[in-house]
Amino acid sequence: MDYISQLGENAKKAKASIANASTEDKNYILDKIAKNLLAGTERILESNKKDLDSARDNGISDAMADRLRLTSGRIGSMAAACRELIALKDPSGEIIEGSIRPNGMRITKTRVPMGVIGIIYESRPNVTVDAATLCIKSGNAVILRGGKEAINSNKTLMDIMRESVAECGFPMDIVQLVCDTSRETASAMMKANGYIDVLIPRGGKGLISAVVNNATVPVIETGSGNCHIYIDNNTDLDMAVDITDNGKTQRPSVCNALETCLVHKGIAESFLPALKKRLDTHNVELRGCARTVQILGDSVKPATDEDYATEFNDYILAIKVVDSIEEAIAHIGKYSTGHSECIITQNLASAEKFQKEVDSACVYVNCSTRFTDGNEFGLGAEIGISTQRLHARGPMGLNELTTFKYLINGNGQIRS
């Protein structure tokens, strides 16, 4: 039996124990994980330092290093997220709806775990804990495959979680890590039919495309975020600068960060210099259309179609001056990955038009795209942001890690 099949077999054997666990038992595991993460802080930081040192030797960018870096504060946040999950409602076993048929047969639609979830992700080791604990709370077994750049951090985090699970009397294999980060293991997960019930890629465009295009197991597409902000003609200038700055620089390496700013021609000459002045404090590189270059000068690099299609994950912003809201919406429709878009406007009709016609998972008016996050939406930790339409869209929390089961009860009914 090959490596991934063995992990899959382990998960299949373990999944019933977590699927049938009580809410109290699942919360007990989560609390134990939180405590052991905090107790293991130095152990985790030592492993993370190895990853950071290796990443620097390989010339990783500052923004990508930030995705990889763990601190005592970030470990504390991971532990806090575990405890926040404890407070959330357990979706497993929830009655969604029910009916009694004319023949007296009672039908109940209930929420149940998916089974075994596979997750392929990059860089951010906090995903290891977020994903595992979400799966535990929703009653799923999980197989995690992170990137090679975070392998030391991920191994230590997984060891702590498996030790915690065992301390609570459950089989450790409800959470497993793929320690071989070769392309072959990723490909094997994509074709692990019979073992993995659903596969979730979380990372850059290349990873997500590879999984979507090659997997034979069901896939939920997440993560890729070419996010836009449109500055309408009728706009509060200060608010527009603040929100664009926040969306680009607050944490540029994440999927809900802004990548393109579209500016109505009627406000471009006043807005763009004010925006550049603010973004210069963060050393943001600007790439703009001809009208942008004309307004801001040669410090702006001419933008290409590729720039408008790129998720930079860095201190880079593409800019385009547009003639109308219709042109802005058309641009978004052409280049967006369907993640998060925003309009800054004081015009109610423009706001309504934008939210109606822009086809993305999250569409904002006068607030930052950085809020596209399960915790910020009050959903608790999330497995990712789904940019597809089936079966989940937007932040994927506990409910999105479940499926349905119909329970039918009768007293002798037969079909004529």
Side-chain angles (χ1 to χ4, degrees):
M1 182 177 289
D2 65 66
Y3 179 48
I4 294 300
S5 295
Q6 184 60 64
L7 294 181
E9 190 65 31
N10 296 344
K12 283 182 68 174
K13 290 178 180 177
K15 70 177 183 179
S17 65
I18 192 65
N20 297 317
S22 67
T23 301
E24 290 74 18
D25 282 343
K26 289 186 282 189
N27 288 344
Y28 180 45
I29 295 173
L30 296 175
D31 184 63
K32 183 67 71 173
I33 289 173
K35 289 177 179 176
N36 287 347
L37 285 172
L38 293 175
T41 294
E42 290 304 316
R43 177 180 166 193
I44 297 167
L45 292 177
E46 287 175 9
S47 297
N48 186 242
K49 185 178 184 301
K50 294 178 183 178
D51 291 328
L52 286 168
D53 289 344
S54 177
R56 290 191 189 97
D57 290 342
N58 290 319
I60 194 171
S61 70
D62 290 342
M64 295 308 290
D66 181 62
R67 291 171 71 95
L68 181 58
R69 183 177 295 107
L70 292 176
T71 63
S72 297
R74 288 184 179 181
I75 294 168
S77 294
M78 287 191 286
C82 292
R83 295 199 165 106
E84 288 171 5
L85 277 176
I86 292 172
L88 293 178
K89 181 181 178 182
D90 184 353
S92 186
E94 176 189 356
I95 296 175
I96 305 301
E97 60 186 9
S99 63
I100 300 175
R101 302 299 299 149
N103 64 2
M105 192 167 62
R106 184 183 299 272
I107 300 176
T108 307
K109 183 179 182 181
T110 63
R111 198 180 293 280
V112 295
M114 291 276 193
V116 178
I117 295 176
I119 303 173
I120 301 177
Y121 55 103
E122 298 171 327
S123 298
R124 295 168 61 189
N126 64 293
V127 174
T128 303
V129 175
D130 288 347
T133 53
L134 275 161
C135 288
I136 289 169
K137 180 72 183 222
S138 56
N140 294 287
V142 64
I143 300 172
L144 300 170
R145 184 197 175 281
K148 64 181 179 180
E149 67 280 353
I151 187 61
N152 293 295
S153 305
N154 288 340
K155 282 182 178 179
T156 299
L157 291 169
M158 181 56 70
D159 286 345
I160 289 172
M161 290 190 291
R162 284 169 63 86
E163 291 161 8
S164 302
V165 168
E167 286 176 27
C168 296
F170 282 79
M172 290 191 295
D173 289 338
I174 62 175
V175 288
Q176 297 180 90
L177 179 72
V178 178
C179 295
D180 176 354
T181 59
S182 65
R183 290 186 178 182
E184 287 74 19
T185 59
S187 297
M189 286 183 72
M190 296 177 205
K191 301 184 185 303
N193 299 75
Y195 296 115
I196 293 176
D197 294 295
V198 63
L199 185 61
I200 303 173
R202 180 168 171 170
K205 183 178 180 180
L207 168 66
I208 294 167
S209 295
V211 174
V212 170
N213 292 331
N214 294 294
T216 55
V217 299
V219 173
I220 298 176
E221 186 174 353
T222 74
S224 181
N226 187 10
C227 302
H228 299 74
I229 189 166
Y230 166 58
I231 313 303
D232 195 28
N233 190 31
N234 186 351
T235 293
D236 181 315
L237 192 66
D238 290 337
M239 181 172 67
V241 170
D242 288 343
I243 292 175
T244 306
D245 175 36
N246 180 261
K248 179 70 264 183
T249 68
Q250 197 261 344
R251 197 171 181 190
S253 62
V254 293
C255 62
N256 56 24
L258 290 175
E259 306 295 4
T260 295
C261 179
L262 305 170
V263 186
H264 191 283
K265 64 180 181 180
I267 201 170
E269 290 190 3
S270 55
F271 171 74
L272 287 176
L275 178 66
K276 183 179 184 302
K277 182 179 180 180
R278 178 72 66 82
L279 295 183
D280 280 349
T281 65
H282 301 281
N283 297 315
V284 176
E285 177 185 315
L286 302 180
R287 302 179 185 180
C289 65
R291 287 192 281 188
T292 302
V293 174
Q294 183 179 10
I295 293 169
L296 295 181
D298 294 339
S299 62
V300 177
K301 294 184 178 181
T304 64
D305 284 347
E306 183 179 355
D307 288 324
Y308 292 126
T310 298
E311 181 183 10
F312 297 113
N313 292 133
D314 205 344
Y315 289 95
I316 302 170
L317 182 68
I319 301 175
K320 184 177 182 181
V321 177
V322 296
D323 291 334
S324 64
I325 187 173
E326 288 80 12
E327 185 181 349
I329 291 171
H331 180 101
I332 293 169
K334 180 178 180 179
Y335 293 105
S336 173
T337 55
H339 193 295
S340 300
E341 328 295 346
C342 174
I343 182 174
I344 308 299
T345 185
Q346 299 296 307
N347 186 302
L348 179 60
S350 294
E352 291 177 342
K353 179 181 179 68
F354 191 85
Q355 288 191 310
K356 180 179 180 180
E357 297 183 17
V358 170
D359 186 19
S360 291
C362 301
V363 185
Y364 293 81
V365 174
N366 296 337
C367 46
S368 174
T369 59
R370 286 286 290 115
F371 286 107
T372 302
D373 177 280
N375 267 319
E376 296 293 338
F377 280 17
L379 305 174
E382 38 134 92
I383 212 79
I385 309 296
S386 172
T387 54
Q388 64 181 38
R389 291 161 179 79
L390 295 176
H391 79 110
R393 197 177 195 195
M396 290 183 58
L398 293 170
N399 286 350
E400 287 71 32
L401 296 179
T402 63
T403 185
F404 305 127
K405 179 190 286 186
Y406 287 90
L407 307 179
I408 304 96
N409 291 274
N411 55 2
Q413 292 88 341
I414 59 174
R415 185 170 178 175
S416 59

